[in-house]
Every structure is written in structure tokens, then in C-alpha cells.
Amino acid sequence: MSTTTDFDFIVIGGGSGGIASANRAASYGARVALVAEGPLGGTCVNVGCVPKKLFWNAAHLATSHELAAGYGFSATPWDFNWGSFKSHRDAYIQRLNGRYAEGLENNRVTLFRGHGRLRGKNQVSVDEKTLLSAAKILLATGGTPIWPEIPGAELGMDSDGFFALGEQPQRVAVVGAGYIAVELAGVLRALGSDVSLVVRRNHFLHGFEPMLREHLMEAMQTQGINLLAQRQVRQLRRDANGLCLDFAQGDCHGGLDAVLWAIGRRPQTSDLGLVAADLATDDDGFLAVDKFQNTPVDGIYAVGDITRAPALTPVAIAAGRRLADRLFGGQSERHLDSSLTPTVIFSHPPIATVGMSEIEARERYGDEQVKCYQSRFVPLLRAFQSEPERTAMKLVTVGHEERIVGLHAIGDGVEEMLQGFAVAIRMGARKRDFDDTIAIHPTSSEEFVTLR
Ligand SMILES: Cc1cc2nc3c(=O)[nH]c(=O)nc-3n(C[C@H](O)[C@H](O)[C@H](O)COP(=O)(O)OP(=O)(O)OC[C@H]3O[C@@H](n4cnc5c(N)ncnc54)[C@H](O)[C@@H]3O)c2cc1C
């Protein structure tokens, strides 16, 4: 190994949290090293939010075309060219990779390409060739898709494999019940694939406000997504008709071109040299941190998907920046409060949600304290459809002041509505503050300030 190079701060992982923290620390004058394997930007930029949202945009355009017919446009279907879309998408992502590299260079962060591993509490090796040392080390190595441990699993693909596909699969089964499963199932269906969604229980999106998932389930079934509920996959095999899923329940689902495993993600902590620094993960591979991102070992910190914080890019970024503010910016109490984290699921239709579900609020505050307001309506955009997809909204309030503790919506445009409402709720908005706000008409978001 080469001689040790000394820094103030070493960050392992060039994804959302790691890059944000490295840049912020360097902006305070710290000497920062970033150790990164894989393309810069990590999951979000390369195999997560960005390619997913570009796919969602493509799917949105495809479905808008159906709507346009009602407005008098010609109903000739557009042809979607998967290959051309992919090459535009890949080129865009490459530009983003370049911008991240430029950003690091401009901030004077020293980039080491390779696998980082702890070599004690203050040292990190890069590909076992270079040794770096620093009093402060941040672990931000993110997560990776989980594969089922069943015969034939390798015949399927994970979300990384989905983004690498050169051609559109025509008959696809998506296995999983989380947001990635419903998002990718929705995208594929909107782009014309024949899609089944295989879930172990009766429904998907566990933990979300039930109104949202019930509405989405109805919409997906109307769109022609085949929901195979209460199915546990026992094996995947190939026969003369293509891929075939065998279920523990005894039946099977065959004739498939592709099977997408979207059954969760696990933190990438197994090859980080944690033992060398006296660190250990919990049984699921996560690192424990306190509200300041401190691990139990002094001088070693963790942010993002390797912690149990919500696995979202803005959460990883905010945690990474706040940590740097605290360690190098003189802001000793700076930390992330990830309660009231707003979230959008880019399903078809999209879901926007912040705060507690009605069930959570009733459990926390008791039935007498909780009052909910709901609405379900046809948005004006869909006025000319014979069977229009509806929009649904719900406010969860508590106490005599009716403080808003949850806001949930599903329907056209909600993905862009949520951010401002999340600010208001964070500031302690009450129902009457919403009522006192003049509506913007005609929009769907006005419904939130006119609910009775
Ligand atoms: C399909 C999909 C869609 C998503 N959509 C959204 C969305 O719409 N909105 C949203 O907010 N979030 C979304 N996410 C989640 C989001 O991508 C993650 O929460 C976020 O990227 C986590 O950031 P991170 O910094 O913890 O890790 P990552 O971004 O995963 O970065 C970790 C980096 O560390 C590198 N690395 C790992 N081990 C080492 C090592 N030992 N040495 C050097 N480098 C290493 C990895 O290669 C990777 O580049 C999505 C994720 C997926 C998979």
C-alpha cells in the first residue's frame, strides 16, 4: 500500500449523502477525500430517482395522449421507442455524472476511485492500494436490491437490471409490494406492456394511508394491471412459453418475457471493514446512529440508506450536509429531524403523502382527538373522459385546534402539490389556516383549502 495521505474528513460512498456531505465540508475549508466506486451520484442518479422519473415522464406522456383525444386531438397512438428513450436517458445521466465530478473538483474535494474499507478508526484503504487517514470518517455506502433466495431467481432482474434493459419487455411480472414495485409496474403498463404485480398479502404499500393504496389498487386494475395477491413465489423457471413463476399456493403464472424482483433493498455494509473499527450492524445490516449521525464509535458517522432513516435522496443529502455543518461549520446542534418527511410515489396516478395516516393518528392521540376530512372528485383535466380516474385527498387533524398531522393525496398533479403543503404542516398549520387561505381556482389543490 502507498504511504498514508492525511485529510480532515474521509467520505466513503459517492452517492446522494456522501457527495453532499463532502462538498459541504470542503466549503468550510476542510481537507476532504471522497472514496467512490461506481458512477458518481450513486443510486439516485444512476439507477434510482432520475432514470425512474424520466421513465415516469415518458409514461405520463403516453397516458396524456389518451386524454388528449377528448380535447379534440387526433387519437392516433404514438409509437414509443424504448431504445431511443434509453439513449437520451443514458446521455443525460452521463452529463449528471460529469457535473458531480466538476462540483467535487471546484470544491477541492479529492476523489479516489475504488472500494473504500475501514482500516481502523481513523484509516481507510482504497482498493487495498492507497491508505488515507482522517480524524473523521463518514460512511455513506447506500443500499442494493434484495434478490429472493429461490431456485431460478437469476432468471429475473432487479431494478438496476430494469434500467439496463435495451428493449421493452412485453409480458412482465413485477414481484414486490413497495413503492419501487408499484412505480415500475405503472410505468411498464402505461408504456404498453402486459403487467402483473405479484404481492404476498392482499395489498401493497403497507404502512401508507390505506385510502391511498385502495385508490391506487382500483386505478391499477382499471388500467389492466393484473394484481396477483396472496402469492408467495417458490421458484422461477423457463419453459417453452417463456418465464414462469411457481407459487407456494400451488398455481403458477407463465408466458412471461421478464420478471422484476422489487422486494426491498439492503444496506451495503458487508464489505466495509466495520470490524476493524469496532463497529457492528444490526441483524438487517443497518448502522445505528443517533440524531447527530454519530455511530457508537467516536469520529465515525453514517448517513443515508445504510441507516434506518427514510431511504430517500433528500433525507441522505440533508443528513450529510447537516453533519458537515456541525463538524466543520461551527453549528454544534445542527442535525436532521426526518419526521414529517414528505414523500411522492410516482405511480399512475401519483401519490403524495406527509405525516401520519388516520390509523397512526388514532393510535397516537386516541379516537376523540382525531378528525379527518376527505374528498374524491373528477379533476377538470379529465372532464371529457367517460370513466375518468378520480383524485382523492385526505387531511388528518388532531385536537380542538385541528392541527394537521397528515396530508395525503392521489391523482393528477399531486406530486407537484405536496412541497408547499409540507412547509405549512411543518410550521404547525391548523385546519382553519387552510380554510383561511384563498383557493386557486380552478385547480385540484384548491380542494385542500375547501374541505368540509
Ligand atoms: C428504483 C429506485 C427509485 C428511487 N426513487 C427515489 C425517488 O423518487 N426519490 C427519492 O428521494 N429516493 C428515491 N430512491 C432512493 C434513493 O436513491 C436513495 O435513498 C439514495 O440514493 C440514498 O443515498 P445514499 O447516499 O445513502 O446512497 P447511494 O446513493 O446508494 O450511494 C452510495 C454509493 O456508495 C458506493 N459505495 C458502496 N460501497 C462502497 C465502498 N465500500 N467504497 C466506495 N464506494 C462505495 C455505491 O457504489 C454508491 O455509488 C430510489 C431508489 C431506487 C432503487
Side-chain angles (χ1 to χ4, degrees), residues 53-375:
K53 182 72 189 287
L54 291 170
F55 255 123
W56 187 82
N57 289 344
H60 186 62
L61 288 171
T63 50
S64 305
H65 183 263
E66 285 162 27
L67 260 182
Y71 282 80
F73 291 91
S74 142
T76 316
W78 313 9
D79 276 339
F80 176 66
N81 185 325
W82 183 283
S84 143
F85 164 74
K86 183 176 183 299
S87 61
H88 289 146
R89 191 198 70 200
D90 292 350
Y92 177 73
I93 289 174
Q94 262 181 23
R95 287 202 295 278
L96 290 186
N97 298 145
R99 269 189 237 158
Y100 277 105
E102 266 168 44
L104 292 168
E105 205 178 314
N106 293 342
N107 286 314
R108 298 204 166 80
V109 173
T110 310
L111 178 61
F112 292 87
R113 304 293 289 164
H115 186 85
R117 197 173 281 118
L118 290 165
R119 291 279 152 194
K121 292 180 186 170
N122 301 117
Q123 288 195 319
V124 170
S125 66
V126 185
D127 282 346
E128 310 301 316
K129 292 186 193 124
T130 309
L131 201 57
L132 314 174
S133 71
K136 297 180 172 67
I137 296 174
L138 171 61
L139 308 176
T141 48
T144 182
I146 295 176
W147 284 64
E149 289 177 18
I150 52 162
E154 69 286 353
L155 298 171
M157 63 185 162
D158 59 18
S159 56
D160 296 3
F162 169 76
F163 292 121
L165 282 177
E167 280 175 25
Q168 178 168 0
Q170 283 313 312
R171 297 160 303 166
V172 191
V174 179
V175 181
Y179 80 92
I180 295 175
V182 300
E183 287 180 339
L184 299 185
V187 158
L188 280 160
R189 180 68 200 119
L191 294 176
S193 295
D194 183 358
V195 180
S196 313
L197 183 61
V198 181
V199 299
R200 283 161 66 142
R201 295 200 230 164
N202 257 331
H203 53 256
F204 44 64
L205 297 180
H206 316 303
F208 284 83
E209 163 61 46
M211 175 278 279
L212 298 171
R213 62 165 186 253
E214 281 154 20
H215 191 102
L216 180 60
M217 201 172 288
E218 201 183 301
M220 287 176 102
Q221 280 170 332
T222 307
Q223 291 155 19
I225 292 177
N226 177 19
L227 184 71
L228 295 171
Q230 296 202 311
R231 299 297 207 293
Q232 193 152 0
V233 180
R234 199 166 45 90
Q235 77 165 338
L236 176 60
R237 61 186 162 83
R238 191 183 292 284
D239 62 20
N241 297 319
L243 293 171
C244 185
L245 285 164
D246 288 329
F247 300 118
Q249 287 67 23
D251 54 344
C252 61
H253 180 52
L256 300 164
D257 300 327
V259 169
L260 170 54
W261 307 120
I263 56 172
R265 293 178 61 81
R266 73 160 57 90
Q268 299 201 80
T269 46
S270 59
D271 193 15
L272 254 182
L274 295 178
V275 177
D278 283 343
L279 263 174
T281 65
D282 65 18
D283 288 348
D284 298 322
F286 291 97
L287 277 169
V289 287
D290 64 12
K291 69 176 184 180
F292 293 106
Q293 312 301 142
N294 295 315
T295 68
V297 174
D298 201 27
I300 301 188
Y301 315 92
V303 298
D305 287 6
I306 57 167
T307 70
R308 287 208 180 259
L312 293 167
T313 281
V315 173
I317 291 176
R321 288 196 181 138
R322 281 161 173 74
L323 175 68
D325 291 341
R326 181 170 74 82
L327 298 179
F328 303 102
Q331 301 173 47
S332 60
E333 286 304 307
R334 188 93 165 120
H335 69 277
L336 174 66
D337 169 11
S338 60
S339 61
L340 287 179
T341 296
T343 307
V344 164
I345 299 177
F346 291 95
S347 44
H348 292 265
I351 284 175
T353 175
V354 59
M356 286 182 218
S357 66
E358 180 175 346
I359 295 171
E360 284 169 336
R362 288 188 187 283
E363 276 168 13
R364 165 92 71 98
Y365 297 102
D367 286 341
E368 302 79 61
Q369 292 292 315
V370 176
K371 185 165 180 199
C372 294
Y373 296 85
Q374 297 200 55
S375 171

